Amino acid sequence: SLTPQVRLEEEFFGARVVDGARSNEVWFKAGQIASALRVQPMVIAKLCSSVRIKDGKDLGLGFKFEKKNFCMPGYARRDSDDKWELSPLALEAFKEYQAKFPLIFSGLMKVADARELDPKHLVAGAEDPDKYVQDALEWIKTHELSRLPLLPANTDACGGTTIKSVEDCADEFAKMTAAAVCIKKVERFKVSDLLLPLPGLVPDALTIGKQNFQCGDRVVNCLAGGPVPLGARATVVGVEEPLIDILLDTKIVSGNTLGGRCSDFRGYRVKFESLLNLSDKPGRSSKSTKAPAGWQGSQQVRDVGRGMAFAGGPRG
């Protein structure tokens, strides 16, 4: 059986990693990033979202979208006053972008506000404006940012860096468990006989409202016959009612990368009622994670044209 030390680690290592990462986070206002790059705040505001050129392609980095209220976890968020903030990862991306394509930054400070910009006006100083802009589009397309998901801004979700830390801790926990658990074979006994529920049958204890999920919580899959193995353990890394993003302790065949935020075959999106929360304790405060009206699930892939492509959600 599990030792007390392993049982304690089982319940709390996810929350410890997530809370530790969040307590050390530093966030910037757009004006601070503009000052660091020596450009107008308007330039940062545009590049944070979308900068359309004449052929409809997008030179923006897509960290946030005001009207749709979506953002990229780990790069942008809303603060307690509902104002946008950007992370050091976003600042580094801006620095890299400016170093490679400075004329785009300087050009945005000069051109009049337009819905679709002409490359000849935007990067007038380039020897071949069309090629310059095309090179920038190719850089954006191949950058890891183009593969990251967009989520509603009020979603409780971890960025890729935090998820990687949870993943590393889960690997260490797996080693600790292997050394601490003695497996004994019991004849004429099926684990599935004890675990709930059967497909289509949800016990009252597992329904939405009966359990409170937060990033960092340790959970176990209780759904038999689904894509996630029965009894598989995981850490919550995103809560978007009625769905939860989990980082599994071990790889599964049906697993994915959660939009590029974790290793192959380690992530999956499940419904609330398929999980038993091992970390939820009486009296713990809950967080609001309701998605916008009409929202059915977050984006996992972006199209190659840099338009916002959401799986079942709105398009920007």
Side-chain angles (χ1 to χ4, degrees):
S1 61
L2 291 174
T3 65
Q5 178 185 0
V6 175
R7 286 186 182 278
L8 188 64
E9 187 71 3
E10 162 71 32
E11 292 185 7
F12 297 112
F13 82 77
R16 186 178 67 245
V17 174
V18 172
D19 292 346
R22 288 179 171 177
S23 66
N24 293 322
E25 286 178 340
V26 177
W27 293 84
F28 306 109
K29 301 299 183 184
Q32 292 176 292
I33 290 184
S35 297
L37 300 180
R38 297 183 179 180
V39 298
Q40 297 172 1
M42 174 268 296
V43 174
I44 300 302
K46 284 182 174 294
L47 290 174
C48 267
S49 181
S50 178
V51 178
R52 296 285 179 180
I53 54 178
K54 272 195 170 180
D55 60 3
K57 293 183 179 179
D58 191 359
L59 288 169
L61 295 179
F63 293 143
K64 64 180 182 67
F65 293 88
E66 182 72 35
K67 291 183 179 179
K68 299 295 185 182
N69 198 33
F70 288 100
C71 66
M72 188 181 295
Y75 285 81
R77 71 174 187 182
R78 287 192 183 275
D79 63 13
S80 57
D81 296 322
D82 210 31
K83 304 295 184 182
W84 287 108
E85 293 181 315
L86 299 168
S87 71
L89 289 175
L91 175 58
E92 290 306 311
F94 273 123
K95 287 181 176 179
E96 185 179 355
Y97 195 2
Q98 187 183 47
K100 290 180 179 293
F101 305 100
L103 294 182
I104 291 176
F105 284 73
S106 59
L108 284 173
M109 289 194 288
K110 298 175 183 176
V111 298
D113 189 19
R115 194 167 182 81
E116 292 188 345
L117 299 172
D118 187 333
K120 293 181 176 61
H121 297 151
L122 178 62
V123 292
E127 184 176 338
D128 186 342
D130 289 330
K131 183 179 184 304
Y132 190 92
V133 167
Q134 188 57 45
D135 289 344
L137 290 169
E138 187 64 26
W139 176 78
I140 293 172
K141 178 181 174 181
T142 57
H143 198 285
E144 64 175 6
L145 293 172
S146 67
R147 299 184 292 275
L148 294 176
L150 292 168
L151 301 176
N154 63 343
T155 298
D156 181 21
C158 298
T161 302
T162 302
I163 291 179
K164 180 62 170 64
S165 297
V166 174
E167 191 173 322
D168 290 342
C169 199
D171 291 340
E172 290 300 316
F173 175 72
K175 295 177 183 177
M176 179 189 297
T177 303
V181 176
C182 177
I183 301 176
K184 295 181 180 180
K185 184 176 180 181
V186 179
E187 298 295 338
R188 299 178 184 177
F189 179 82
K190 295 180 180 179
V191 175
S192 58
D193 290 338
L194 292 182
L195 290 177
L196 299 170
L198 295 175
L201 178 63
V202 180
D204 182 64
L206 299 182
T207 55
I208 295 177
K210 297 292 185 178
Q211 297 188 98
N212 168 33
F213 291 95
Q214 298 178 9
C215 282
D217 284 352
R218 294 287 297 159
V219 294
V220 60
N221 178 54
C222 297
L223 181 64
V228 179
L230 184 67
R233 304 210 172 208
T235 302
V236 174
V237 293
V239 183
E240 185 184 336
E241 187 177 318
L243 303 172
I244 294 181
D245 289 336
I246 58 172
L247 177 74
L248 290 133
D249 288 359
T250 56
K251 294 181 179 181
I252 62 172
V253 174
S254 57
N256 57 53
T257 64
L258 294 177
R261 291 184 290 159
C262 68
S263 299
D264 292 337
F265 308 111
R266 291 289 291 272
Y268 208 79
R269 170 161 281 206
V270 299
K271 292 185 177 180
F272 270 52
E273 59 264 27
S274 67
L275 300 175
L276 177 65
N277 195 337
L278 304 177
S279 302
D280 193 19
K281 302 299 181 184
R284 188 175 71 160
S285 61
S286 62
K287 298 179 181 179
S288 175
T289 58
K290 290 187 179 295
W295 179 243
Q296 300 173 14
S298 65
Q299 166 211 18
Q300 293 300 320
V301 182
R302 295 191 183 191
D303 64 22
V304 295
R306 290 290 297 163
M308 291 165 58
F310 302 102
R315 297 178 69 88

